[in-house]
């Protein structure tokens, strides 16, 4: 079966349609965010072709918006790279959480999942599948959400790139982008760890506002990631591991072995007596 046929079959799955419905509410905010980012890239002096290439290749709105001001003021390349890397550090946490669901998939599929993953997709996925165990409907759900999110971002972003010179600054698209980001942000705040990380990031950004080259963004991101990791470590230490009874002659499946290595499960193997 070809890749296109397999993708089409996956997108026709009921879970894929369910994901598209779940993503419909945030797609408007994503579209507004993408439009503003496309306009901002061209307004900052970036050529149209390079802007389209960046939108398709990078596909990370927060990283793009973070580095655009740095590129426009001629910041050193290391500052631009470090800023983009710090902005995307949250995907390290996402990948560690998604490992319980997708670790059994082939490498090329996991690499594709890494490209198409996003904040809103992560939130919607975790709400539907809170138990960290693989299930047949999870992959179709992810691709349904990923397709909806990718189109909601790329179409307005590329439209903003080509229409940037026709859009006057008096329209206040920057403020519209801020509102869109706030809407997306509020949809991501669903537990104590995310609320704490957001509060820490806001406080750090304000405290470091006087730093040059918008380095307060780096400070805020580093503080938020540190707070999130600390909260996750505290929650993990408080969690009592489950007991897993393993038959005497059986081989432990890979997904259960991962839970054992993570400390979530304590295996108890049955003893065989003559």
């Amino acid at each position: 079966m070809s890749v296109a046929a397999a993708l089409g079959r996956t997108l026709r799955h009921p879970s894929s349609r369910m994901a598209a419905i779940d993503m419909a509410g945030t797609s408007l905010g994503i579209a507004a965010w993408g439009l503003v980012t496309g306009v901002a890239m061209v307004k900052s002096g970036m050529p149209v072709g390079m802007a389209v290439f960046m939108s398709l290749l990078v596909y990370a709105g927060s990283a793009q918006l973070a580095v655009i001001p740095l590129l426009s003021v001629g910041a050193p390349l290391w500052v631009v790279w470090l800023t983009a890397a710090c902005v995307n550090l949250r995907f390290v946490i996402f990948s560690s959480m998604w490992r319980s669901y997708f670790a059994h998939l082939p490498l090329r599929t996991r690499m594709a999942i890494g490209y198409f993953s996003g904040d809103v997709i992560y939130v919607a996925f975790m709400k539907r599948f809170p138990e960290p165990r693989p299930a047949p409907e999870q992959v179709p759900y992810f691709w349904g959400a990923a397709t909806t999110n990718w189109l909601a971002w790329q179409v307005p972003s590329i439209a903003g790139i080509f229409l940037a010179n026709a859009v006057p600054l008096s329209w206040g698209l920057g403020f519209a982008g801020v509102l869109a980001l706030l809407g997306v942000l509020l949809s991501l705040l669903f537990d104590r760890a995310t609320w704490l990380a957001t509060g820490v990031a806001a406080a750090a950004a304000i405290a470091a506002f006087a730093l040059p080259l918008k380095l307060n963004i780096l400070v805020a991101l580093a503080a938020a990631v540190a707070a999130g990791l600390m909260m996750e470590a505290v929650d993990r230490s408080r969690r009592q591991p489950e007991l897993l009874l393993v038959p005497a002659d059986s081989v432990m499946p890979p997904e259960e072995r991962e839970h054992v290595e993570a400390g979530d499960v304590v295996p108890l193997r049955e003893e065989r007596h003559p």
Side-chain angles (χ1 to χ4, degrees):
M1 182 182 296
S2 65
V3 176
L7 181 59
R9 181 179 178 181
T10 301
L11 294 179
R12 288 192 296 269
H13 194 279
S15 295
S16 180
R17 293 193 292 268
M18 181 190 301
I21 295 173
D22 290 345
M23 294 291 296
T26 57
S27 292
L28 293 177
I30 296 294
W33 186 7
L35 178 65
V36 171
T37 303
V39 173
M41 284 192 289
V42 176
K43 293 288 188 182
S44 67
M46 186 179 296
V48 171
M50 182 59 68
V52 173
F53 179 76
M54 183 179 186
S55 179
L56 294 173
L57 180 66
V58 177
Y59 182 43
S62 54
Q64 291 174 233
L65 286 176
V67 303
I68 286 172
L70 300 177
L71 293 173
S72 63
V73 299
L77 186 60
W78 70 267
V79 174
V80 176
W81 279 102
L82 184 60
T83 300
C86 289
V87 169
N88 285 334
L89 274 178
R90 66 193 187 280
F91 286 99
V92 177
I93 301 176
F94 293 171
S95 63
S96 67
M97 298 296 292
W98 264 328
R99 182 182 179 185
S100 301
Y101 302 92
F102 301 137
H104 63 284
L105 297 176
L107 176 60
R108 62 179 183 180
T109 303
R110 285 183 277 128
M111 291 180 65
I113 287 175
Y115 169 77
F116 283 99
S117 62
D119 307 81
V120 183
I121 301 172
Y122 173 80
V123 173
F125 187 93
M126 290 302 172
K127 285 182 179 179
R128 285 289 180 182
F129 307 102
E131 292 295 327
R133 299 180 183 183
E137 63 272 16
Q138 291 170 354
V139 172
Y141 185 92
F142 175 86
W143 286 117
T147 302
T148 304
N149 192 75
W150 192 87
L151 292 174
W153 172 265
Q154 295 293 356
V155 173
S157 178
I158 295 175
I161 291 171
F162 284 102
L163 299 176
N165 294 324
V167 177
L169 296 177
S170 59
W171 284 13
L173 284 182
F175 181 67
V178 172
L179 293 180
L181 287 175
L182 285 176
V184 174
L185 172 65
L186 291 176
S187 70
L188 299 176
L189 303 179
F190 63 96
D191 59 10
R192 183 175 56 180
T194 53
W195 277 102
L196 175 64
T198 302
V200 170
I206 295 173
F209 184 75
L211 292 176
L213 299 176
K214 298 186 181 295
L215 290 177
N216 62 317
I217 298 176
L218 284 178
V219 174
L221 291 168
V225 171
L229 291 176
M230 289 177 60
M231 178 64 70
E232 184 180 355
V234 171
D235 289 342
R236 184 178 292 274
S237 64
R238 292 178 177 176
R239 188 188 313 158
Q240 294 295 329
E242 299 178 1
L243 295 178
L244 177 65
L245 185 61
V246 182
D249 298 330
S250 68
V251 178
M252 189 178 298
E255 60 271 12
E256 292 183 355
R257 189 160 52 246
E258 291 178 3
H259 289 299
V260 172
E261 294 173 354
D264 298 328
V265 175
V266 176
L268 293 177
R269 186 173 290 275
E270 292 179 335
E271 297 182 0
R272 169 170 289 183
H273 298 280

